[in-house]
Amino acid sequence: MTTFTAETYQNEYLAEGASEVNAVVTVTAAGGGGTAQPTTAAEIIIVDISGSMNYPATKMRAAQQATSAAIDCIRDGVWFAIIAGTKLAHQIYPAPGTMSPSSAESREEAKQAVAGLQAQGGTAIGAWLALANELFATLPPSLNHAILLTDGKDESETVDELDATLAACQGRFQCDCRGVGTDWVVSELRKVASALLGSVDIVADPAELTADFAAMVEHAMGKATADVALRVWTPQTATVSFVKQVAPTIAELTDKRVPVNDRVSDYPTGAWGDESRDYHVCVTVRPGAVGDEMLAARVSLVVDDQVVSQALVKAIWTDDAQLSTRINRAVAHYTGQAELAQVIQEGLEARKAGDDATATVKLGRAAQLAAASGNEATTKLLSKVVDVEDAASGTVRLKSRVEDADEMALDTRSTKTVRVTKTAP
Amino acid sequence: MTGAATVSNCPVCGAPVEPGDQFCEVCGTPLTEDAKALGVSAGEPVRGAGSAGPEEAWAGAPQSHSTPTAPAGPSGRTAPCVRCGAPPEAIDVDGYCTVCGLLQPGPRDHLELDLGWAAGVTDRGRQHPRNEDAFHLELAGPAADYGVVAVVCDGVSSSVRAEDASESAAIAAATVLAAVVGGAGSLADATVHAADAANRAVMALPWTPTEQMASPACTLVSAACRLGQIAVGWVGDSRAYWLGPDPADGIRKLTVDDSWAEAQVETGRMTEGEAEADPRSHAITRWIGADAPAIDARVITMTPALPGRLILCSDGLWNYASSTEDMAKLLDSQPPDATPIELARSLTSFALTAGGHDNITVVIIDLPVPRNEPTPIQDTEQDAQESTEQAAEQDAEQKGMP
């Protein structure tokens, strides 16, 4: 049985008249044993087989191998299906409209179907997801997870069609997205992953697909609790400015708000294994008098509509500047990590648009933030796009030649954060 | 929405509720008309004061509150929110208004106890949301012996459950002292035992470790008096003063703060002025609580020849008259005929007017002329193993300001 704990990290002291309350809430799930009952989990693998997958031919073969490896990782009893995508969605295993429980035999049949795939046609990600949604709907409530692999732009349908499908799929299943090669669009796949509470990453070299696919399925199999929501209560005169996951990755939740009543809203966080995540909650309140203490937010974890843990976010007004000017380390750290992700994305956009001045400033700030926070992975990715002259001051020069794959890797991985060691503010 | 039994979420906190639930399991809000009419709640018992003392001697004991007749909320309160006027049932078990969020004034925000020749006042002050000071004052033994026990504790604000620490410590210490004052044992020994009992009481408080807050902790200053004998003990920076009958004799500070500033002065590293100006000056070097470096109370006993006034106070008062000269001036400025309760109120008002930056507690005891043969003042400092050098060495273990 998984137990959840929630703990608040904040400086609750505010200066007179201040109205913005910031807190990092760390949620930890433990004791789940890392496994769901097999029959309550479902996995669908969606493979792009558009014509471009043949260029080079190694890409299609790698996708087939990776899918086979992923199939091997599906535990016995887990319901699964394989979808091949062109401008239409084709169910290649099992029989159309059904899902099959995983067994040595069914996995072998599925792998044979994958081996027979031929690349041809267009790309319509929305159509693929719509079929996955239909298949998941044939099962009783389960831990529904999908993997989507594509190598190109979503060009066989309109943006509105994709958006409508994403809206229909939200809350029904989670989807981790992978782009292979460099002809796909980071922002497009990020939108899909964000809507479906999944990750997005680039697999530049098709040879790396197999390990990545296996890892994703292993990770999905480790989830024990479905549909966990972060419930935020605020007082009548307060408003939630934002709620975002800040570790292990930045994921904006503010616009995923589901109102429960006037003062209470739920923010979906998907399925949980034994893991820990950090959330940054920012609430705007009506300032109190010096000496007043106020409950600015009550943050709870909700599973099956039951509150399983909660943390309090407080505000205390003081005229003691020593107290009110301290910034909690966790809040400061994650504010920096969120800015890091933002300036990387803005910097790369400016670079693409030919605005080198803006790109240099933004990516310089990124280098500074990444170095200061010890985010070595991001520092390394940045160094392939800019020459860092002085990280402390954020002085960088744009590289004249940048590999597409490096730029896309920096973009997709900009949201990965490093955790903070939390101590007193 | 017609009946409460059909709601699926608490209207106050949003927690899910089952059909038929009388109360919200999370915040205790009554959900049905019946539950509202009951005027009771499913929530936790009232936390903090009110339930404080084992005896009525505690100023927060129920006698100071009228019997609740209006429906009480989960917090047991009967008053609406002081800011937004939400009804009492909208106040949650932690004391927050579930409509506007404001922490409601606690029963400990201002408490007074007037026992005639002994009296005490504690006040939240103007800057802290809670009163983490606590005092216990009671008469003990036969009336003719003028036996009295007083304990003032100041919860360390950087520790969890500071308000519970101070309250538990005050009650535990006073219980030990009252038994001895009413009997024949040594007041000095009882004072050491009382601090031990206070420490055990604070250590027994359940608490959840956090990375931000220390374990429950507080200061303690106690006075045990019987037949003109006085024993004062302390751990931390709450103080005791002795005020003789002739103002010209001035006042005596009986305690020596277990504070960083005092350690600097005692070891000659800094002057009083330099030490006071240092941001660390108020960090205490000894306290009551689980991670305390040593809790042996320092004890001073005296047998005054003449009647006088004993004053116990937390730093919420003495911060505004830190030096003995300033405290003497402050006391000089008070009406000479003030009764103990009047003086305690007046000193509290002084601290509030001066800014009220911390919780304020003042206990005044008028000790009469002893019936026994008067003896000259004799001071013996006992249990002085806590030398100032040791105190100075404990810099590394300083607590935050209480």
Side-chain angles (χ1 to χ4, degrees), chain A residues 236 293 295 298 305 319 422, chain B residues 16 92 96 99 103 127 211:
Chain A
Q236 201 166 44
E293 175 172 331
L295 187 61
R298 188 188 288 275
D305 222 23
D319 66 357
K422 301 182 202 87
Chain B
D92 72 12
Y96 295 104
V99 177
L103 180 69
Q127 304 276 327
E211 291 177 56

Side-chain angles (χ1 to χ4, degrees), chain A residues 165-304:
Chain A
T165 304
L166 289 178
C169 294
Q170 258 181 354
R172 307 289 297 278
F173 63 95
Q174 285 181 255
C175 184
D176 288 315
C177 300
R178 292 296 181 267
V180 62
T182 55
D183 296 328
W184 54 284
V185 182
V186 174
S187 59
E188 197 169 80
L189 221 46
R190 179 180 284 137
K191 179 171 76 176
V192 174
S194 167
L196 301 180
L197 303 174
S199 63
V200 59
D201 205 353
I202 178 172
V203 184
D205 181 355
E208 293 164 10
L209 264 182
T210 300
D212 188 54
F213 262 47
M216 268 191 290
V217 173
E218 290 283 3
H219 189 68
M221 296 292 117
K223 302 294 181 186
T225 313
D227 298 331
V228 179
L230 205 62
R231 175 165 294 176
V232 179
W233 170 92
T234 49
Q236 201 166 44
T237 53
T239 51
V240 174
S241 302
F242 62 79
V243 174
K244 60 181 143 191
Q245 179 186 294
V246 288
T249 56
I250 306 271
E252 187 62 63
L253 295 176
T254 315
D255 53 2
K256 296 194 169 66
R257 171 179 174 268
V258 180
V260 174
N261 65 33
D262 285 356
R263 296 194 279 279
V264 180
S265 291
D266 282 355
Y267 299 86
T269 68
W272 285 64
D274 283 358
E275 61 186 299
S276 181
R277 305 182 197 173
D278 291 342
Y279 296 90
H280 185 165
V281 177
C282 179
V283 179
T284 304
V285 299
R286 199 174 72 180
V290 167
D292 277 357
E293 175 172 331
M294 176 185 193
L295 187 61
R298 188 188 288 275
V299 180
S300 7
L301 267 289
V302 180
V303 178
D304 291 336

